[in-house]
Amino acid sequence: MNNFVYDIPVKVYFGENQLGHLGEELSKYGKKVLLTYGGGSIKKIGLYDEVVAEIKKAGLELFELSGIEPNPRIDSVREGTNICKKEKIDVLLAVGGGSTLDATKWMAAGACVEHDPWDFFSKWAPVEKALPVVTVLTLSATGSEMDCGGVVSNPETKDKIGRMARPLLPKASFLDPTKTYTVSPYQTACGAADMMSHIMEVYFDMEPGMYMLDCFMESMLKTVIKYAPIAMKEPDNYEARANLMWVSSWAINGFINGGRQIAWSCHPMEHELSAIYDITHGLGLAILTPRWLEYCLDETTVSKYYQFGVNVFGIDPKLDAMSVAKKSIEMLRDFFFETLQLKSTFTEVGIKKEDFPIMAKKSCGGDVLPGFKPLKQDDIEKIFEMCL
């Protein structure tokens, strides 16, 4: 294994009734706060009123930007950036799920440069600083509350691009599982698939790693498998929501990498699906992941599947490795499509074969998509065809 530095300075307030600390956290960074959120669900559940009350109690000046979309658009980032510059915003407060958090991070970065925020993605402009961001999470899925990444879509170019940069790390995040009680069974299922994909993108790697980290990842996967169905059936089950919320954060905050240079496969492929078809990210990952695993299975990779099948799904270790591997993929498919009741094919969600070449080409950048098994455009098109 490689040497590494692990440093995630995100202060997390976990549990109920933690918003009383919101004002003190925001006040550390100035007086002017830009509150960002999505379609208004935070108003329906009373969270908006709680947040605004804490901001006012702290004597802070409030500005707002609502309407941030799922698969957040660059136009929202631009709008937030302009508000930050015009009003001289000191700190941004993102209240919502991963889309709101991702967009807000890039607003914070955009406020510190003169160029268009899309240049961060189209020209890979450097991210040298960003305004401070504080988050209040309402959906367990992306892990954006505890990482330095964010994904943004550009409908004009049909691109969806993710990028990580240390200045984007939130300063503090408020994680109250009760704020996820109103998340629908469908979104709970999509969030579960997203978390599992974050873990499996790292877990399925043939580079030697730490046994301890593999055990940690297996534990998180088993936690999602146990608690996602419970949360779907009992939306106000605190134990289920709390376990899912904490897995969401630890699945992608860098801890599980352990110094390995990880290249992801399913996420780049899925980004092209939702860039064109605007489908829910977790759903796209659920459809892709079992097919990706099936395509990558051979004698050189089977040992990882055996470990996955035995330690995550409890498959009989006395079976031969290839049998365990195939059974593990089957059980993952059953979990996504039977237990979580997610749609299982591209056909069901309207993705057309005619778009496969362009999506596959962009997924691999016209060259090779590195990862568990390097994939060329032709390989990716075959995986897409397996999803029909």
Side-chain angles (χ1 to χ4, degrees):
M1 58 171 288
N2 300 319
N3 295 343
F4 62 90
V5 174
Y6 182 70
D7 180 20
I8 301 293
V10 180
K11 186 174 184 178
V12 174
Y13 289 88
F14 193 97
E16 294 186 77
N17 304 316
Q18 295 276 30
L19 282 180
H21 298 282
L22 181 60
E24 68 186 74
E25 288 297 331
L26 293 171
S27 296
K28 292 177 181 178
Y29 307 105
K31 289 291 186 180
K32 292 188 174 184
V33 180
L34 175 60
L35 169 63
T36 62
Y37 53 98
S41 62
I42 67 167
K43 292 185 176 180
K44 296 177 183 176
I45 65 174
L47 179 57
Y48 173 86
D49 291 336
E50 288 184 60
V51 167
V52 170
E54 293 298 328
I55 292 172
K56 290 183 176 179
K57 187 167 66 175
L60 305 176
E61 188 176 357
L62 176 63
F63 300 83
E64 295 187 28
L65 174 60
S66 61
I68 297 173
E69 316 86 346
N71 294 322
R73 314 290 197 268
I74 189 60
D75 283 346
S76 291
V77 175
R78 288 170 176 147
E79 187 176 356
T81 296
N82 290 336
I83 295 173
C84 289
K85 291 179 176 180
K86 179 182 176 182
E87 304 297 344
K88 295 181 171 53
I89 296 296
D90 297 310
V91 56
L92 294 88
L93 174 61
V95 181
S99 295
T100 296
L101 274 57
D102 283 8
T104 304
K105 289 177 179 180
W106 289 108
M107 295 173 201
C112 298
V113 296
E114 295 303 318
H115 60 70
D116 180 62
W118 187 244
D119 288 355
F120 288 127
F121 305 96
S122 63
K123 300 178 181 178
W124 222 246
V127 185
E128 297 175 344
K129 59 181 180 178
L131 294 178
V133 174
V134 174
T135 81
V136 178
L137 189 65
T138 62
L139 175 65
S140 304
T142 70
S144 192
E145 67 277 3
M146 205 177 175
D147 74 10
C148 63
V151 182
V152 175
S153 296
N154 187 332
E156 293 182 5
T157 61
K158 294 186 177 181
D159 285 315
K160 180 179 179 181
I161 302 174
R163 185 178 175 187
M164 306 191 90
R166 188 169 177 81
L168 303 182
L169 275 170
K171 300 298 183 182
S173 289
F174 290 78
L175 278 57
D176 181 349
T178 67
K179 305 306 182 189
T180 65
Y181 283 177
T182 57
V183 176
S184 69
Y186 169 71
Q187 288 295 345
T188 299
C190 289
D194 195 4
M195 294 178 225
M196 291 183 70
S197 179
H198 292 160
I199 300 163
M200 287 188 287
E201 296 267 32
V202 179
Y203 182 83
F204 281 93
D205 183 85
M206 300 310 294
E207 182 181 342
M210 292 180 71
Y211 172 80
M212 169 264 186
L213 289 176
D214 272 5
C215 291
F216 185 73
M217 287 186 274
E218 290 160 2
S219 175
M220 287 196 293
L221 289 168
K222 290 168 70 174
T223 298
V224 177
I225 291 168
K226 176 178 179 177
Y227 283 110
I230 295 173
M232 291 172 67
K233 294 176 183 177
E234 305 170 26
D236 59 352
N237 185 307
Y238 187 88
E239 181 181 0
R241 293 295 191 184
N243 274 276
L244 293 174
M245 181 168 268
W246 204 215
V247 168
S248 167
S249 299
W250 283 91
I252 194 175
N253 67 10
F255 176 73
I256 60 178
N257 291 8
R260 285 179 290 188
Q261 299 302 310
I262 303 297
W264 288 11
S265 300
C266 286
H267 273 69
M269 288 190 282
E270 197 291 321
H271 285 170
E272 300 310 321
L273 307 182
S274 46
I276 295 177
Y277 291 95
D278 200 29
I279 65 170
T280 303
H281 178 56
L283 173 60
L285 290 170
I287 296 172
L288 277 168
T289 300
R291 279 74 179 214
W292 166 67
L293 288 173
E294 184 179 347
Y295 191 82
C296 294
L297 175 60
D298 59 30
E299 293 297 334
T300 68
T301 60
V302 68
S303 60
K304 199 67 189 186
Y305 293 78
Y306 177 85
Q307 179 184 338
F308 173 68
V310 171
N311 294 342
V312 175
F313 284 113
I315 299 172
D316 186 354
K318 294 179 182 178
L319 295 174
D320 68 90
M322 190 59 71
S323 295
V324 171
K326 292 178 179 179
K327 180 67 174 177
S328 71
I329 298 172
E330 180 185 337
M331 293 183 74
L332 182 66
R333 289 169 63 109
D334 286 347
F335 178 70
F336 284 153
F337 308 136
E338 300 299 327
T339 303
L340 298 186
Q341 300 176 20
L342 292 170
K343 293 179 179 178
S344 61
T345 66
F346 282 177
T347 303
E348 291 175 273
V349 297
I351 296 175
K352 299 176 182 177
K353 187 174 181 178
E354 63 194 54
D355 291 317
F356 287 2
I358 184 62
M359 292 193 300
K361 183 176 181 180
K362 292 177 79 171
S363 296
C364 64
D367 188 12
V368 176
L369 179 63
F372 182 43
K373 195 171 184 178
L375 302 172
K376 296 182 180 180
Q377 179 177 337
D378 181 60
D379 296 308
I380 297 170
E381 288 189 47
K382 289 176 181 176
I383 293 173
F384 286 165
E385 288 174 4
M386 293 167 68
C387 296
L388 284 171

